[in-house]
Amino acid sequence: MLREILERFDDTVVIEKPVSKELEVTRYLLRYHDRPVLFEDVDGWSVAGNIWSTRERIAGYLNLSVMELMPFIADTMGNPSPCKTVGDAPFLQNSTEDFSLLELPVPKYYPRDGGQYFTSAMVVAKDENGFVNASFHRIMVRDEKTASIRLVPRHLYSMWKDKAEHGEELDVRIIVGNPVHLLLAGATSTVYGISELEIASRMSERAFGRPLEVVDLHGIPVPVQTEFVFEAGLMPELVDEGPFVDITGTYDYVRKQPLVVFERMYHVDEPVFHALLPGGYEHFMLMGLPKEPQIYASVKRVVPKVHGVRLTEGGAMWLHAVVSITKQHEGDGKNAILAAFAGHPSLKHVVVVDEDINIYDDRDVEWAIATRFQADKDLVVVPNARGSSLDPSATKSLTAKWGIDATKPLDRREEFERAEV
C-alpha cells in the first residue's frame, strides 16, 4: 500500500502538522517538487503527493534502470496479460454510504480552480461485451455526493455516450491511491478491447513475478492494491467542469461534462489519499512516460537504429522531445523528426541527436544543438499542424511544429567528435 511504498524511499518528506487541503497542500508539493511528501493530517486524513515524480524512483520501484523503463512500458503495452481474480481486498474492510466528498482530503490546488479536484483518480468501467476500461480522469467535487468528470472522446466517453443516449447511467468504480504500474497502464493509449488492467498485470508480472490481483466489486473488477474505492454512476446530465490547471501549468476552461453521483466509499485501514499535483513532475511522468514508446515505435519505422526517446520536463513531458539515433543516411535526422510528430500528435518541438549524446542531460542536448545544428539546413518547420489542446499558444489546436536535426554529417563525422583523454 502507499504508506509502505513511501517508507521505502529515503527522501520522503513527512509533514506532521495539520495542513489545509485548500492551496496549502499545493505549496508543499511545489516546494519539494521532486520528493515524495506525506501529509499526516489533512482534515484528519493522510495524503501523499509527488510519489512518482522522477524516472529514477519509478524505475527503481519496478526493479529497472532508467534506460530500461521505456522498453518495459513498450513491451507491456504490446503484450497484455490476464489479471488474477481473488476473493478479498484490504479496502473491503471499511465500507460506508455515510460520507461527504466535501469532508474528504480532496485538495483545491490553485486559486481559480472550479473546486476540490480528484486528480489521481482512475475510473474502471465494463461494457456490455465484458470489456473493462481503466483510465485517468479529473473529477471536480460539486457537493457532498456529486461531481463533474472530464471525458475526452476516447473509450470511457464512448461507454458513457452509449448509456447516455438511452437515458441511462454508466456504473463505474473510481479508485484512488494506486501503485505506479497501475497508474502507468491507466495513462496508456491502446485500442478499444485491450484492457489497461491487463497491461498493468503484464507490468506486475515482469516487475514482481505475479499478475495484477483484482476483486469483483458488484460486477466490475477492482485492483486489490488501491487505497480508496467509490461506487458511482456517470449520469446523462451535463454540468460545469473547470477551470482546472492542466499539465502545462495554465488554466483549462469551463466545459459541460457528465455528472457523477457517488454512492458508496470503501477504503483500507489508515488510508493514504493520493494528491497528484496538476502541472507537477508527477503529472509529467505519469502522462508522458507512456507516450515515449509510441514515439520510439514511429521513429523506428523510418530509422533502424533508435537508442532512446525522452519527453522533457521543460516541455511538460508532452510538447517537447529528444530522440537519439544512429544515422545511416543523410536525411535520417529529418525523417526521424517527422516520424516523432506522427508518433505523438501533441508533440510541438523535437531535437534529434546522435547516439553519443545523453538525452537525459539538458546541457548535453544543448551542446549538440550548439555544435551540430545550422538553422538554414537542419531546421524543419511544419506550419498549421494539428497539435495539443493543452498548448495555450495554439489557435484552435493548430500549431507550428519544429524539429532540430542536431546530428553530425556523415561525411564529416570526425570534425564533430568531442575531445577525450
Side-chain angles (χ1 to χ4, degrees):
M1 308 310 290
L2 285 190
R3 190 177 295 275
E4 296 168 353
I5 291 172
L6 288 163
E7 289 173 351
R8 293 176 51 174
F9 305 139
D10 58 12
D11 59 344
T12 298
V13 178
V14 179
I15 310 299
E16 296 181 348
K17 69 175 185 178
V19 173
S20 172
K21 64 190 174 191
E22 182 158 345
L23 306 183
E24 195 174 4
V25 164
T26 304
R27 294 189 180 102
Y28 280 100
L29 295 179
L30 288 171
R31 182 185 305 171
Y32 303 104
H33 63 277
D34 61 354
R35 295 178 62 184
V37 182
L38 174 63
F39 303 91
E40 293 287 16
D41 185 0
V42 179
D43 289 354
W45 299 84
S46 294
V47 173
N50 294 349
I51 308 169
W52 310 111
S53 53
T54 69
R55 292 173 189 266
E56 291 78 10
R57 194 175 300 116
I58 293 170
Y61 178 77
L62 296 171
N63 298 311
L64 303 167
S65 69
V66 169
M67 296 297 293
E68 292 172 321
L69 191 53
M70 189 195 65
F72 171 86
I73 297 172
D75 169 76
T76 58
M77 290 172 65
N79 298 282
S81 179
C83 302
K84 179 182 178 180
T85 300
V86 297
D88 198 9
F91 64 77
L92 293 173
Q93 302 303 311
N94 302 280
S95 170
T96 182
E97 294 180 357
D98 184 19
F99 68 95
S100 168
L101 297 177
L102 298 173
E103 295 176 0
L104 293 177
V106 183
K108 180 178 179 180
Y109 290 96
Y110 294 98
R112 287 167 46 200
D113 283 354
Q116 298 168 241
Y117 260 98
F118 287 85
T119 49
S120 67
M122 292 175 61
V123 179
V124 185
K126 189 175 183 180
D127 71 10
E128 295 177 353
N129 297 317
F131 165 62
V132 177
N133 183 77
S135 49
F136 274 102
H137 299 274
R138 70 193 195 215
I139 301 173
M140 187 184 84
V141 174
R142 299 175 73 245
D143 54 37
E144 291 188 344
K145 286 293 198 296
T146 72
S148 53
I149 182 170
R150 171 73 171 122
L151 295 185
V152 297
R154 284 188 50 76
H155 301 162
L156 186 64
Y157 173 86
S158 177
M159 297 166 80
W160 165 78
K161 193 169 183 289
D162 287 345
K163 290 286 189 179
E165 288 176 345
H166 295 89
E168 301 173 357
E169 70 176 84
L170 176 65
D171 188 29
V172 300
R173 305 293 174 262
I174 298 171
I175 59 176
V176 178
N178 300 293
V180 72
H181 50 290
L182 188 59
L183 298 174
L184 288 171
T188 60
S189 298
T190 185
V191 298
Y192 196 94
I194 295 180
S195 174
E196 292 83 358
L197 293 185
E198 294 188 345
I199 294 174
S201 188
R202 172 66 173 172
M203 290 187 182
S204 183
E205 285 180 345
R206 283 202 52 186
F208 312 115
R210 60 182 182 273
L212 183 74
E213 293 187 342
V214 298
V215 64
D216 187 293
L217 189 59
H218 306 301
I220 297 178
V222 174
V224 166
Q225 281 185 285
T226 190
E227 303 275 323
F228 289 88
V229 180
F230 299 89
E231 293 182 10
L234 306 190
M235 302 299 171
E237 179 184 349
L238 300 178
V239 293
D240 286 345
E241 185 275 322
F244 176 78
V245 172
D246 216 311
I247 197 166
T248 56
T250 56
Y251 283 96
D252 201 0
Y253 56 86
V254 178
R255 297 176 174 86
K256 292 294 185 182
Q257 295 288 288
L259 176 71
V260 188
V261 176
F262 286 70
E263 298 159 359
R264 178 173 286 275
M265 176 176 72
Y266 303 82
H267 63 76
V268 301
D269 292 336
E270 299 182 358
V272 177
F273 186 91
H274 185 188
L276 182 65
L277 177 66
Y281 278 25
E282 189 174 29
H283 191 180
F284 294 171
M285 294 295 158
L286 296 177
M287 192 164 167
L289 286 175
K291 295 298 179 185
E292 292 176 349
Q294 295 178 210
I295 299 171
Y296 177 88
S298 185
V299 176
K300 185 77 172 173
R301 294 187 188 101
V302 299
V303 181
K305 292 186 178 180
V306 185
H307 303 287
V309 173
R310 173 195 170 206
L311 285 161
T312 69
E313 292 81 355
M317 287 187 68
W318 198 249
L319 300 177
H320 292 183
V322 185
V323 178
S324 170
I325 67 170
T326 293
K327 281 173 63 171
Q328 295 181 320
H329 307 281
E330 291 298 352
D332 280 354
K334 291 183 174 63
N335 284 348
I337 288 168
L338 297 174
F341 290 144
H344 178 41
S346 291
L347 197 62
K348 180 179 179 181
H349 170 204
V350 60
V351 180
V352 177
V353 297
D354 296 294
E355 67 274 15
D356 64 327
I357 301 299
N358 180 1
I359 63 174
Y360 299 104
D361 184 338
D362 291 334
R363 293 188 180 190
D364 213 28
V365 173
E366 187 175 355
W367 180 87
I369 296 171
T371 62
R372 301 177 180 180
F373 165 74
Q374 284 292 309
D376 62 335
K377 296 183 295 184
D378 302 320
L379 181 68
V380 175
V381 179
V382 183
N384 295 317
R386 183 74 176 174
S388 173
S389 62
L390 301 177
D391 176 8
S393 72
T395 303
K396 296 182 179 178
S397 295
L398 289 178
T399 189
K401 302 189 177 192
W402 59 290
I404 290 176
D405 180 1
T407 59
K408 296 173 283 190
L410 289 175
D411 61 350
R412 297 168 54 212
R413 291 181 68 90
E414 67 281 354
E415 299 175 31
F416 294 83
E417 297 293 337
R418 279 187 282 202
E420 295 182 356
V421 176

